[in-house]
Amino acid sequence: MAVTATETEAHPPSFLRRYVFSTDHKIIGIQYWLTGGLMGILGAFLAGLIRLQLTWPTTQWNLLAKVFPVGMEGGFMKPEFYISLVTMHGTIMIFFFVSLTLVSGFGNYLIPLQLGARDMAFPFLNMLSYWIIVPAILVAAASFFVEGGAAGSGWTAYPPLSAIPEAAPGSGLGQTLWLIAVALFIASFTMGGLNYVTTILNLRARGMSLMRMPLTIWSFLIAAAIGLLAFPPLTAAAIMLLFDRHLGTSFYLPEGLFVAGQLLPNGGGSPLLWQHLFWFLGHPEVYVLILPGLGVTFDVLVPFTRRPAFGYKVTVYCLLIIAFLSMVVWGHHMFVSGMNPLIGEFFSIGTLLITIPSTVIGVNMIATLWGGKLRLTSAGMFALGTICFFGVGGLGGVFLGNAAADIQLHDTAFVVGHFHFMIGGVTLLAIFAGSYFWFPKMFGKILSETLGKIHFWLTVVPFYGIFVTMHFYGLAGAPRRYYSLSQYGFLDDVAWMPLVMSTFAFAMMAGQALFVVNVIKSLWRGQVADKNPWEATTLEWTAPSPPPHGNWGDALPVVYRGPYEYHAAMGGTDFVPQTAPQKGG
């Protein structure tokens, strides 16, 4: 049960209880935000190594040989080390960067504050969910140091490469550790999802009806529901994969497999079973990440346009429709698996239907700008960038949702470019929009606007340079996940593209260092924030910055109106907080 501020003052918690093993949703949210950020730096470092190999495959890197004496023996990257980098880059960025920072970080911090609650419904479970993520990260990181190196079967872990320990160097202990890390992540995310749904449905302040909730809360609610429905099949699939690897079962292994010249005794299984079970989660997982990004974008966009969110209810219904459709279109990732064309057509139609509610949401975002009094803060600029990335990424999805086009593009760099725009770009810019916007609430300081705007341009321009180029590189036929592409004559005309992409990639990484500098500098000597520096209307801005334990003192707030009321109000302001009573109320 949550405690009141008076009780907290009477019994102040110890340092460990307050900042390390805390049950306060705000501390846990910040823990996730910081942990995710550190994992983002690690994931970006791995991406840098990948770019080095793809751009300069014959260059000797003596310094890296000292850091990675096995993977970079003699200064040259080994193929098995390269594919491990590809696998772990995807795993870290999806499961341990975007998921932790955007969903777990902002979700934990914002849900009670935007709903008018003191904490999450299950504070201890909340703390437990974070401290299960920590060993998951350690296990994943440890896989780099075991014999054979980290997993090498891609972040999708397709069998038989992932099911046979002797199949490749990365198929050994590194793959087992990968499965354990993902299983721990699922356990943590499931705990978080239960907490999100229960808190949102049961702990709303008086007057906070469902249709008065900010769109960020709607997006977290829907994302949590998707996760709770989609994660169990992957959990079962991972356990079955472990059985195949260590107990001699054959869920995913057909008969007739030869490894190192030896016929394996397995039989009766199918690697396609894993693909179905994986993508039953894998595709909804995209929306588990993107939908909160869209919700955050709406909440950041509105205060800086000084206009209500256009089409609030329609946007809510579109989020729900997307969530439903995301659960029934996993097969579009498997068009090249020999799928019956009629079934493929079902998945194609379902996938393309998602473009309708997605387009409506995009139009609603743009319409929110119409006639607004735009304030180009760093947060607002990142929110605008999110809209642009959502549009470009969605356009690529139209090609890949069509079976005829997807079969041509499936294993090319085009898919990588599209994937990075949607699950990488949209979420990355939403994370930065939310960070600049809620940083004053989280830490009581405002991030430097000058550094923030430079950071914006050093993120968006290089991102376009990398991944638009990657789309065209894929259209030219460049395959993905290949160790080296220099020997393919059909790519001679586009051989300059890897250098362009890598140049932009390293420029973008330098830009992210600026954000780290901004955070440290602002925490140290940044401008002190009052409780509502952006003149916003949602509930969190009625609490002090940063809010105390229990958030609201002894009295919970009461909600009288919707989340986005911007118009001429009493006192010369143009906004009306949700706690302002209606006239005559």
Side-chain angles (χ1 to χ4, degrees), residues 304-561:
F304 298 121
T305 60
R306 315 309 293 169
R307 288 204 63 213
F310 184 86
Y312 170 88
K313 289 186 178 180
V314 173
T315 300
V316 171
Y317 297 139
C318 286
L319 292 173
L320 291 167
I321 292 170
I322 290 174
F324 170 74
L325 290 174
S326 75
M327 299 292 296
V328 296
V329 295
W330 74 91
H332 76 233
H333 293 274
M334 301 168 57
F335 286 141
V336 296
S337 65
M339 179 182 292
N340 184 307
L342 290 177
I343 298 176
E345 198 62 26
F346 165 78
F347 286 122
S348 276
I349 293 171
T351 303
L352 295 176
L353 282 176
I354 292 182
T355 61
I356 298 173
S358 300
T359 303
V360 172
I361 289 175
V363 169
N364 285 352
M365 287 180 170
I366 295 171
T368 301
L369 303 173
W370 189 264
K373 300 173 183 176
L374 215 55
R375 296 179 180 179
L376 284 179
T377 61
S378 302
M381 290 168 69
F382 274 106
L384 289 173
T386 307
I387 301 174
C388 298
F389 278 17
F390 186 55
V392 174
L395 188 62
V398 173
F399 289 89
L400 298 176
N402 184 305
D406 179 84
I407 288 171
Q408 298 298 317
L409 297 169
H410 185 79
D411 265 329
T412 71
F414 184 95
V415 177
V416 184
H418 161 71
F419 187 75
H420 276 81
F421 258 107
M422 289 305 285
I423 205 170
V426 170
T427 56
L428 180 68
L429 294 200
I431 286 171
F432 286 134
S435 296
Y436 282 98
F437 186 61
W438 282 298
F439 192 87
K441 187 59 59 182
M442 295 164 77
F443 299 103
K445 299 288 186 69
I446 295 176
L447 287 167
S448 164
E449 278 295 307
T450 302
L451 292 179
K453 289 174 182 174
I454 298 172
H455 173 220
F456 170 79
W457 290 112
L458 284 178
T459 301
V460 171
V461 173
F463 198 98
Y464 273 115
I466 301 165
F467 295 109
V468 169
T469 306
M470 196 173 285
H471 276 79
F472 286 99
Y473 198 46
L475 287 172
R480 58 174 171 163
R481 295 178 178 170
Y482 276 35
Y483 170 68
S484 175
L485 299 173
S486 57
Q487 68 271 37
Y488 298 109
F490 67 91
L491 293 175
D492 285 350
D493 290 341
V494 292
W496 52 274
M497 287 187 177
L499 178 60
V500 171
M501 288 185 278
S502 294
T503 303
F504 278 120
F506 291 119
M508 185 175 163
M509 289 177 197
Q512 306 323 299
L514 204 59
F515 177 70
V516 176
V517 170
N518 196 355
V519 168
I520 296 172
K521 176 176 175 290
S522 300
L523 284 174
W524 181 34
R525 52 191 305 178
Q527 178 187 345
V528 176
D530 62 30
K531 69 179 181 181
N532 191 5
W534 312 122
E535 299 180 315
T537 56
T538 44
L539 272 189
E540 76 272 26
W541 300 108
T542 62
S545 298
H549 189 63
N551 297 340
W552 311 104
D554 289 331
L556 291 172
V558 179
V559 173
Y560 296 95
R561 55 186 73 234

Side-chain angles (χ1 to χ4, degrees), residues 13-148:
S14 65
F15 178 85
L16 279 178
R17 194 77 174 82
R18 184 168 186 176
Y19 294 111
V20 181
F21 300 107
S22 174
T23 55
D24 187 325
H25 72 97
K26 299 183 294 299
I27 299 297
I28 295 171
I30 291 172
Q31 287 174 327
Y32 272 120
W33 186 77
L34 289 172
T35 305
L38 291 174
M39 296 308 294
I41 292 171
L42 176 59
F45 174 68
L46 300 186
L49 294 177
I50 294 169
R51 291 310 318 167
L52 287 182
Q53 171 60 27
L54 291 177
T55 310
W56 300 282
T58 58
T59 301
Q60 190 173 16
W61 306 96
N62 291 322
L63 179 60
L64 290 174
K66 295 178 181 177
V67 180
F68 304 103
V70 178
M72 297 287 294
E73 187 177 6
F76 298 100
M77 187 177 292
K78 291 182 177 178
E80 58 267 30
F81 184 55
Y82 170 78
I83 197 63
S84 290
L85 293 176
V86 172
T87 299
M88 296 308 292
H89 166 70
T91 302
I92 288 171
M93 296 306 263
I94 292 169
F95 293 128
F96 298 124
F97 168 54
V98 177
S99 297
L100 299 194
T101 309
L102 181 59
V103 183
S104 302
F106 287 129
N108 272 293
Y109 194 89
L110 292 173
I111 287 174
L113 279 171
Q114 290 199 325
L115 292 177
R118 295 197 183 281
D119 209 317
M120 301 295 279
F122 310 115
F124 179 79
L125 191 68
N126 207 20
M127 179 191 72
L128 195 61
S129 72
Y130 173 76
W131 284 105
I132 285 178
I133 276 294
V134 174
I137 290 171
L138 294 177
V139 168
S143 68
F144 279 106
F145 304 100
V146 300
E147 185 178 357

